[in-house]
Amino acid sequence: MPPQYFARTQYPLLTQLCRHITASNRISLLIESLCKRKSIDCTELISLHAAQAAETAAIIRLSRSMRLTHQSVYRASATGRLTPQPVIEAPWRRGKVEYSK
């Protein structure tokens, strides 16, 4: 998202979203390492999957509250189909880029 997309009041939510994504990635690494073992502790695997589900739910909730979900960047057109809503201007449509020497 472009920098101006987020209001200052959303910074704590964005910080928490990043923390939940990091925690989710760490849990997935723990699940992978557990599954590589010769003997798997089912209770540990179940608890890791429950933690993964909780992190996923938190990520979804925060993403929806900040309007970062797939559906929030699309808008309904007159025909009833969804069309992409541009967030930023495409680089090739911008004016000539001036480089300082």
Side-chain angles (χ1 to χ4, degrees), residues 33-60:
S33 68
L34 180 66
C35 290
K36 288 180 182 178
R37 295 181 191 164
K38 289 186 178 182
S39 63
I40 297 175
D41 182 10
C42 289
T43 56
E44 187 179 358
L45 184 63
I46 290 170
S47 67
L48 285 173
H49 278 291
Q52 183 80 39
E55 291 299 329
T56 302
I59 291 168
I60 291 169

Side-chain angles (χ1 to χ4, degrees), residues 3-45:
Q4 65 272 18
Y5 184 84
F6 297 104
R8 205 175 239 331
T9 57
Q10 289 180 316
Y11 289 175
L13 293 176
L14 190 58
T15 302
Q16 284 302 104
L17 177 63
C18 293
R19 286 178 180 155
H20 282 290
I21 290 172
T22 302
S24 177
N25 291 338
R26 289 178 179 160
I27 292 169
S28 71
L29 290 175
L30 289 172
I31 291 171
E32 286 179 27
S33 68
L34 180 66
C35 290
K36 288 180 182 178
R37 295 181 191 164
K38 289 186 178 182
S39 63
I40 297 175
D41 182 10
C42 289
T43 56
E44 187 179 358
L45 184 63

